[in-house]
Amino acid sequence: MNFIFGIIFEKLFPFICKYIRPFMKWFLHTFTRLCELQRICYGAQPGARRTKQVEWSLESSRQPDIKQLIRELDEAVEFCSEDELKSLTLRAVNVVQRVKKIKPSANPDFAPLFGVSVYQIWSYKRLMHQVERLRSEQYNAENIEHEEKLMELWRHLMPDEPLTERVSKQWQEIGFQGEDPKTDFRGMGLLGLENLLYFSREYKEAAQHVLLHSRHPTLGYTFAIVGINLTAMAYVLLKSGDAKAHFYNVAQNAKRACSLEHFHKFYCYLLFEFDRFWLESEPTNIMDFREIYQTFEISILEALHKDSNVFKTNLVIEKV
């Protein structure tokens, strides 16, 4: 039944946007004396709920100046610094106040509330560019920095076992497929390595805990390969926008822009929770991986579609 209603709503949504929404905006503006963005900023809960509504309102705008503003922000945000992002936010506030005829003296709360949402929206877009650059950068064994990061990963995961050779079967002990890990990073590029390294460095106890589970004689799995698969999941969730609720809420709580660190922590949550989900699923063997992975992905999507969602990344290990 819900599926049928979903299809009906999907068919009616363009009609609602084109014909009914303008009338509703006019009606509400007439009786509240507030534009749509003001009503959102004053009425919606801060974080994902407010920011997603602000984003939708801006993208649905027919105002030429606002359409131009969005294009300019999208073009500028790819390589912008933190200070530049704040300047872009201020410009967006000024343009919207001018176009919507919002007087700062009469509406002093609008600029800071709207500015926070703009800051979150375009910091998320900047994050997508940052993540894409890492994903598109292929691992290069001749790059000293790449090699140093790979060696650091080994030291964090296997502190008591020195790596005897750069190309070695020892890599299989932490879940790579062959003797040279570089081949396993092809799909996700340097992003896969950066995610694994962040998890092993920033969550040492959790990383050792998960690695130990992955080496279980009957319930084990290939730690590094699964980790790279979860990098792919995190990447897709970010690019599709399904992860917006989480990132907007994290940015709201931290009073910071969406950042690469937030993406790494999001990944760490996925890896830690997948390990728990895998063990609870009691797989017969590694051939069950695809089914369990897809079930896990569905559960994550369901959680992300709640505007109140924010994954906790303290990664508490239960002591038995």
Side-chain angles (χ1 to χ4, degrees):
M1 184 64 70
N2 289 337
F3 178 71
I4 294 173
F5 279 127
I7 294 176
I8 294 172
F9 181 77
E10 186 178 340
K11 298 293 185 183
L12 290 176
F13 189 70
F15 174 81
I16 293 170
C17 289
K18 186 174 182 180
Y19 297 106
I20 299 179
R21 181 172 176 269
F23 171 76
M24 289 301 298
K25 284 179 65 178
W26 171 83
F27 179 82
L28 291 171
H29 184 269
T30 300
F31 283 90
T32 65
R33 300 295 180 183
L34 300 173
C35 73
E36 183 177 58
L37 286 170
Q38 286 176 292
R39 295 194 299 273
I40 292 169
C41 290
Y42 297 153
Q45 183 179 341
R49 190 155 295 157
R50 178 187 294 163
T51 298
K52 288 170 75 173
Q53 289 183 46
V54 167
E55 186 173 17
W56 186 78
S57 179
L58 288 172
E59 290 175 351
S60 303
S61 177
R62 297 181 180 182
Q63 292 281 353
D65 286 355
I66 291 181
K67 288 184 175 182
Q68 179 62 28
L69 171 69
I70 291 172
R71 286 193 292 269
E72 290 175 358
L73 293 181
D74 286 347
E75 290 174 3
V77 80
E78 182 174 357
F79 296 103
C80 76
S81 65
E82 196 62 29
D83 287 340
E84 289 169 336
L85 181 60
K86 290 177 181 177
S87 295
L88 292 174
T89 299
L90 182 60
R91 168 166 164 67
V93 170
N94 291 335
V95 169
V96 167
Q97 285 186 142
R98 173 177 56 79
V99 171
K100 298 293 183 179
K101 297 181 174 61
I102 301 171
K103 295 181 179 180
S105 58
N107 302 274
D109 294 333
F110 176 76
L113 295 177
F114 177 66
V116 167
S117 289
V118 170
Y119 190 56
Q120 291 171 3
I121 293 165
W122 271 276
S123 68
Y124 185 94
K125 293 185 179 186
R126 181 181 63 173
L127 174 59
M128 287 197 295
H129 288 297
Q130 292 170 334
V131 167
E132 183 59 47
R133 285 196 292 273
L134 281 174
R135 189 203 65 82
S136 60
E137 183 177 354
Q138 290 301 302
Y139 185 91
N140 183 359
E142 297 180 2
N143 186 309
I144 295 175
E145 185 179 350
H146 292 187
E147 286 286 284
E148 286 177 348
K149 287 180 178 180
L150 184 60
M151 295 302 109
E152 185 183 353
L153 175 65
W154 176 269
R155 290 193 297 271
H156 284 306
L157 292 175
M158 305 291 284
D160 301 322
E161 183 180 332
L163 186 66
T164 57
E165 295 179 280
R166 165 61 181 80
V167 178
S168 167
K169 288 185 177 180
Q170 284 179 282
W171 290 111
Q172 296 173 16
E173 294 179 32
I174 59 173
F176 286 102
Q177 292 185 105
E179 299 182 4
D180 193 345
K182 71 177 184 181
T183 58
D184 293 326
F185 292 122
R186 286 173 183 165
M188 284 291 108
L190 206 59
L191 183 63
L193 175 57
E194 292 282 6
N195 277 166
L196 283 169
L197 181 56
Y198 187 93
F199 182 55
S200 66
R201 183 180 62 232
E202 302 299 326
Y203 296 96
K204 292 181 181 180
E205 189 177 3
Q208 291 297 324
H209 179 77
V210 173
L211 179 62
L212 182 63
H213 287 170
S214 75
R215 300 171 78 179
H216 190 278
T218 57
L219 299 177
Y221 54 88
T222 48
F223 173 83
I225 296 302
V226 169
I228 294 170
N229 272 278
L230 290 167
T231 291
M233 182 188 293
Y235 169 78
V236 170
L237 291 172
L238 180 80
K239 295 285 283 186
S240 66
D242 286 311
K244 281 181 179 179
H246 169 78
F247 282 94
Y248 288 162
N249 287 329
V250 166
Q252 180 71 36
N253 294 340
K255 293 180 170 49
R256 292 173 49 197
C258 300
S259 68
L260 198 54
E261 181 181 15
H262 292 155
F263 179 79
H264 285 315
K265 287 184 176 181
F266 176 62
Y267 163 82
C268 292
Y269 173 86
L270 293 179
L271 181 49
F272 189 76
E273 284 300 305
F274 177 81
D275 174 71
R276 180 188 59 78
F277 191 84
W278 173 266
L279 295 177
E280 290 178 355
S281 300
E282 298 182 346
T284 306
N285 53 50
I286 196 65
M287 298 302 292
D288 292 336
F289 174 78
R290 186 176 186 82
E291 182 180 350
I292 293 173
Y293 179 91
Q294 290 175 341
T295 305
F296 176 72
E297 186 176 24
I298 291 170
S299 71
I300 293 295
L301 275 167
E302 288 175 349
L304 287 172
H305 286 166
K306 299 174 183 177
D307 284 343
S308 59
N309 171 267
V310 56
F311 291 135
K312 305 299 182 184
T313 53
N314 53 339
L315 307 189
V316 176
I317 296 172
E318 296 180 2
K319 304 289 185 180
V320 180

